Each structure stands twice: as C-alpha cells, then as structure tokens.
Amino acid sequence: MDSLSLILDDMHFDGVVFASTHNSTPWAWRLATPGLAAFHMVTSGQAWLLREGEEPLLVQTGDLIVLPAGSQHHIQDKPQTMAVAQDLLPHMAASELEPQKHGGQGEPKCDLISGHARFDVDMAAPLIAALPSLMHVRGLGEAPPLWLAIGLQFLAQEVAAPRPAQQAIINRLGDILFMECIRDYVESVPEGSGNWLAALKDRALSNALAHMHRDPRRNWTVPELAQQACLSRSAFADRFTQTLGEPPLTYLTRHRMRLAARQLSGSGLSISKIADLVGYSSEAAFSQAFKREYGTSPSVWRQQRLAAVNPIAVATTNGDQQAAA
C-alpha cells in the first residue's frame, strides 16, 4: 500500500453523518464540527459560505466544499441574509434521507447535502493540520473532476428513494469523496512548499513513511529507513527533516504515541501491552515518551479520556478502588 492509503487507514474512517435540506429564501445554517471534516454539496441552486475573517464564498450547483478541521461557519442564501442561522448539527444526527424544508417561502431555492466525516481525531491531527482550512471542488466549468460528477450522480440516485443498505452505501460514498479531495490536494502540493504532504509525492520519502506506518512496532533505525528510501543515511535524514519538519525517528515516535492514545481510549489493554504494541519493551520508557508528547502519564491520560466520555463510570471505578484500599 502507498503511504497516503496507510495514513488514511490509520484515521479509521467510520462513515458520515449527514442531513439533506431543501432551502427557500431567506435561509441560513451554522455548523461547527471541531476536529472532524465538515462538508456541503450543492445539488441544485446556489449558496454562500461565510467564515469569520474571510470573504463570502459562492457555492454553486455541483460544488463540494470541505472544511477539514470542521471550523465554525455559516451557509446561507446570500451574504446579508434576513434569516437567523439555525444549528445544522442536530439535524445530522438523524441522517434523514428525506430533505428537510428550511427557510421562508421565497425564491431562489437551494438543495444541500451537508455532513461531517467520522474518524479518529487524534490519528487524523497531522493530516488535518497540513490541509487548507477550506477545499472547494467546483462542479461547474470546463473540466470538473470526473470523480465529483460521478459521486454526485450516485448520491442523488441513492437518496431518491429508500433502499436496503442505503446508510452503509452513503457512509462509504462520503468517505470516498473526502479521500478524493485529499488526494487532489496532495497532488497539487508543490515541492519545497513546506507542507509535509509533499513527502507523499516524493517516492523516497513516501517509501520510508509507508514502512513506518505499516510496521510502527519495529525498532527502525535511520540507516534502515534510508535503505528503504534508496538514499544515503545523511541524504535521507536531511530530506526527511526538511520536508516533514522533524527528524525521521521523531516522526515515528509521535506516530507511535498517537497509536498508543487510540489504544488507551478505545481498549482495555494494560499499559504494558500497549507499550509492546507500539514498539516499547519497557513500560517506563513508553510512559516517559507518552508524557513528553501529551504532558501526562498514560494511566492519567486514559482516566481523563474515560471521564470525558463517561464520568459515572470513572466515579464508580474510583469508588471501588477506594473501597478496596
């Protein structure tokens, strides 16, 4: 597998949450999905996207807008609309296929499919940080991307009427459209741009990244990674550091820590087992590396994450521990 595929696999995509809306002037929605990529597809009509500190952006029929970090924004009938923006996120939870009517009784009308992707926020953080705050893929013009035209046609057909496995198919389609956006952006990143995604276009660095992501448990050395890149040790280390902004083994350690964080928050494995899974034979060495990255020990970090998700369970666990003591 290529390095981008492995990076996307590490993000653990879990489909999309979406809402279909039929909007009549005046109308306005607001949306924020921090850390999770939000998107809007205009299937008919047009809309305006507003973000703080940015010029209003016209979004037309066939366009796909992706905000990789899920930053707060409004999408509405015109830049100075008369409508009060409503929160779109609660309507996504139901993932209703039947378009929800919104706004007034005026013209023109706009049909939107909006949503956000579901993936591991911690594992996705480096990629999301490297992407622009907004990606606008235009469906109109001389040469719209073939994948977007096909995707919108497929989506329109899928939401036209209830069918078996509809939600699963829409989930996969949403993932694919987001990945296509990322792929297009990676292909457009120029060399020497200072964006580490340029490494994915560099065969030498991409090979090394693929090996690190495929086997993060292995005790990689710089000479071994340089061999995979078909470069000398010094040439590889210099090119990697210049392109990705950090030395190879620093990148590997931070990737291991993200993998460990995923295990700590999503599994009941012991700290020592997680340390072994991410390439540490010593629990103490693993704990030190984790604390350098996250500012706290693995056990405390796990407890904090658990408390954020289920405070009752943590309170019960602490009570049981005190009683046992």
Side-chain angles (χ1 to χ4, degrees):
M1 293 178 68
D2 64 274
S3 52
L4 180 56
S5 293
L6 290 164
I7 289 169
L8 292 172
D9 278 352
D10 283 341
M11 290 170 63
H12 297 276
F13 279 89
D14 190 28
V16 297
V17 177
F18 67 92
S20 178
T21 59
H22 181 70
N23 306 282
S24 302
T25 302
W27 61 272
W29 293 106
R30 67 177 185 275
L31 181 63
T33 57
L36 294 173
F39 66 87
H40 301 281
M41 289 179 284
V42 178
T43 56
S44 70
Q46 67 178 38
W48 288 85
L49 187 89
L50 277 69
R51 296 178 295 155
E52 187 175 356
E54 302 288 343
E55 290 293 321
L57 177 66
L58 177 63
V59 191
Q60 298 176 294
T61 301
D63 286 7
L64 169 63
I65 290 289
V66 178
L67 297 97
S71 56
Q72 183 170 318
H73 61 279
H74 287 202
I75 188 162
Q76 54 199 52
D77 61 323
K78 54 187 178 181
Q80 291 81 31
T81 185
M82 298 292 291
V84 176
Q86 295 187 27
D87 190 359
L88 187 53
L89 189 59
H91 300 281
M92 293 180 183
S95 291
E96 293 291 344
L97 295 176
E98 184 69 25
Q100 178 178 349
K101 293 183 178 180
H102 176 63
Q105 303 296 320
E107 298 284 348
K109 302 184 186 300
C110 174
D111 291 331
L112 284 175
I113 296 177
S114 307
H116 70 78
R118 295 180 295 189
F119 47 74
D120 187 311
V121 174
D122 293 320
M123 293 300 298
L127 175 61
I128 297 301
L131 293 172
S133 60
L134 183 142
M135 294 187 288
H136 184 184
V137 186
R138 290 176 171 82
L140 299 176
E142 295 181 0
L146 182 59
W147 61 262
L148 179 58
I150 293 173
L152 287 174
Q153 290 176 7
F154 191 101
L155 185 60
Q157 175 182 307
E158 195 58 39
V159 301
R163 300 178 64 194
Q166 195 167 46
Q167 182 65 63
I169 289 172
I170 291 174
N171 280 345
R172 300 289 79 77
L173 181 59
D175 289 350
I176 290 170
L177 291 175
F178 179 53
M179 292 179 194
E180 286 282 8
C181 278
I182 294 174
R183 182 163 65 175
D184 274 11
Y185 181 74
V186 169
E187 290 176 343
S188 72
V189 174
E191 293 184 12
S193 62
N195 188 319
W196 72 263
L197 291 177
L200 303 182
K201 297 171 62 178
D202 182 318
R203 171 166 283 188
L205 297 183
S206 183
N207 283 343
L209 285 169
H211 279 83
M212 283 190 275
H213 280 262
R214 186 181 295 115
D215 190 8
R217 187 179 183 183
R218 178 171 170 174
N219 187 26
W220 291 103
T221 65
V222 173
E224 287 174 333
L225 292 169
Q227 184 178 18
Q228 299 297 336
C230 299
L231 293 171
S232 70
R233 181 191 184 283
S234 59
F236 167 70
D238 289 347
R239 189 188 298 188
F240 192 103
T241 302
Q242 183 177 9
T243 305
L244 281 90
E246 58 189 355
L249 298 188
T250 301
Y251 177 93
L252 177 60
T253 297
R254 297 182 68 182
H255 177 58
R256 285 171 166 174
M257 294 305 102
R258 289 190 291 270
L259 291 171
R262 176 174 175 80
Q263 291 292 337
L264 287 166
S265 61
S267 78
L269 295 176
S270 66
I271 304 296
S272 60
K273 179 61 177 177
I274 293 173
D276 180 63
L277 285 175
V278 297
Y280 287 81
S281 57
S282 163
E283 183 178 335
F286 164 66
S287 295
Q288 290 173 0
F290 190 90
K291 189 170 185 178
R292 282 195 298 269
E293 183 68 19
Y294 287 96
T296 188
S297 68
S299 58
V300 171
W301 192 91
R302 168 180 266 173
Q303 191 172 42
Q304 290 173 344
R305 272 300 175 94
L306 182 59
V309 175
N310 191 351
I312 296 176
V314 171
T316 302
T317 300
N318 289 342
D320 291 343
Q321 292 173 346
Q322 292 173 2

